[in-house]
Amino acid sequence: MEAASRNRRIRFKSYTRPKSEPAKPPQKDEFDDEFLDLGDSDYSSSDSTSSDDENQSLSFPGNHSVKHNTVLCQQVYVKSCRYFDKVPSTYFFRRLKRTHIDLSHHGLGIDGVKSVAIALVSNTTVQRLDISNNDIASEGLAHILQTLQENIVITDLNLSNNNLSTGGAVLLDEALSNNRIITKLDISANGFTEADAVPLSHLVKKNQSIRTLSLSKNSFREEGGIVLGKALECNDTITYMDLSWNHLRQRGAVSLCYCLQINKTIESINLAWNGFGMEGCYEMGKTLLNNRTITELDLTSNRISLDAFRQLLPGVGKNKTLKILRIGFNPLTTDGAIDVLRSIFISESAIEDLDLSDILVDDSFMKLLIEVKEKRNIRVKHGVVLRHDEITKGVHTSVLDTDDPMTILFEYMKQKNLRLIDLLHNLDRDHSDTLTRDEFQRGMTSIDLPLSSRALDILMKKLDINQDGQVDFEELTIKHKEYQRRITKLRMKSKTDRKFFKGFDKLEQLREAVRLRIALNVTRESQK
């Protein structure tokens, strides 16, 4: 019987306030046994259906008063749901006694979050609150922020993916600039733009309690980077900053790198999926020469070419505090991978974890990696290891191993301003007006864009429509039109739906790698 009592479901009677009944805000000291006839078993500190982490009991002197506080908060929650004509959530009701409440993807909306905010005003147990992906907008945010004026227990707040936009940025500045309780704040993916960087920079400057701040997946660009960079110069509490998946580049990237030369508290910064390029790498290289606090740096997918990366290397080699460096998904080539590994090997660098994801390496890199690991403890993640028969002897020691060789072929045609018929004739060695696999291999090697065996197989499979082992002009024309349509569609989708952005960005990196190789070849030819 006791087990049945503990596990029985809490049932709420539906209630609709009659139109004639005067509206009045719910009060936490109003009790109604008709709606909450619950025994002590419902407030026990264990739940057979929950994990140990979620279900933490608070055992210390005065535990009875904590339980009493939980009952009051639950009473207030039910009454506020009545007032706002909302169906109470059993999930939230039961978790008011825990230290962590996860309400992500609960469809709260602006109205649903009101009851949640009211119930948490005097709550003394919940320390971590996640209300991400609920579309509460700035109106719903106002209720949560009003709660934080009274609640002194919540320290970890996740407000990501809630469409807060400009109104939300202003409210966050006004409510949290002087807050001394919140230590972790996630406001990523809220549609913040350049203009919103101003109120958020005020928050960064004034707040003295936030240690972890996430502004990921917004739309900060050059001006936004400048404003936030200047704010971080004044901040002395943030230790982790996430600015990934924005559009930070040029002056914005430079400003953020410069601020790290002044800031003395940031230990980890995530700048992945931006566009640091040459300017950002040059300034980050200077930063690493002087900074003595950063231990983790993420520059994944920042369109960093080999030349740009070499601007960063002196700082990487001489910095004695940086332990984790993520630089994958950039067009560094095998030469870049070898350069960074050699820099770590011959210097006093403190790096323990090196991420070179999606960057091709060869036997020379693997031999050097063995030497490095004999000298120091280091974890290295890298891309495909090329075989000897795939390596072209000459200036470039690596071939292009990709799942999208058509992009390489047609980007070359575009950069050289060739027509399809010109491309066919340039690669057609036997003048048969068709292209075989061998002709593709020799032709791409001759223009310094050698493809791996795997990439050549993929190229032939995609271009050879009738599978006769040869690609004629008609097949080339059809596939070129399909390629153009695919690029256009991917570009348009990446502007409106973030899940397509990664695919488009990877495509742009591949095209950039082709353009870089062509430019280097032109330079070499002019120097001969």
Side-chain angles (χ1 to χ4, degrees), residues 94-153:
R94 287 186 180 276
R95 280 156 182 76
L96 277 167
K97 62 179 177 288
R98 301 182 181 172
T99 59
H100 177 206
I101 295 184
D102 184 354
L103 290 173
S104 59
H105 298 280
H106 271 59
L108 294 177
I110 297 172
D111 294 329
V113 80
K114 291 180 184 178
S115 298
V116 170
I118 292 171
L120 291 171
V121 169
S122 59
N123 182 277
T124 58
T125 58
V126 179
Q127 299 171 18
R128 295 165 55 199
L129 177 63
D130 184 348
I131 51 175
S132 59
N133 292 278
N134 276 288
D135 198 27
I136 66 173
S138 58
E139 294 90 336
L141 174 65
H143 297 295
I144 294 296
L145 295 178
Q146 188 173 0
T147 294
L148 295 179
Q149 301 300 315
E150 302 293 333
N151 186 294
I152 58 171
V153 180

Side-chain angles (χ1 to χ4, degrees), residues 373-430:
K373 286 189 173 183
E374 289 176 353
K375 179 182 176 182
R376 61 195 302 166
N377 183 21
I378 185 172
R379 295 182 300 274
V380 179
K381 184 178 180 180
H382 54 76
V384 176
V385 180
L386 301 173
R387 301 189 302 270
H388 276 293
D389 63 340
E390 292 182 333
I391 298 177
T392 305
K393 303 299 181 183
V395 177
H396 291 289
T397 60
S398 66
V399 299
L400 297 169
D401 183 68
T402 175
D403 294 326
D404 190 11
M406 282 177 55
T407 293
I408 295 175
L409 181 67
F410 292 135
E411 183 63 24
Y412 168 78
M413 184 184 80
K414 177 182 176 182
Q415 293 300 316
K416 287 296 186 179
N417 199 25
L418 299 176
R419 298 172 299 170
L420 272 174
I421 191 66
D422 297 328
L423 177 66
L424 178 67
H425 289 161
N426 285 354
L427 301 178
D428 182 17
R429 296 298 181 91
D430 60 4

Side-chain angles (χ1 to χ4, degrees), residues 488-502:
T488 302
K489 185 182 294 185
L490 190 59
R491 181 186 294 111
M492 296 301 295
K493 286 184 176 180
S494 69
K495 292 179 180 179
T496 57
D497 193 338
R498 189 170 293 275
K499 70 180 181 181
F500 291 100
F501 181 79
K502 183 176 180 179

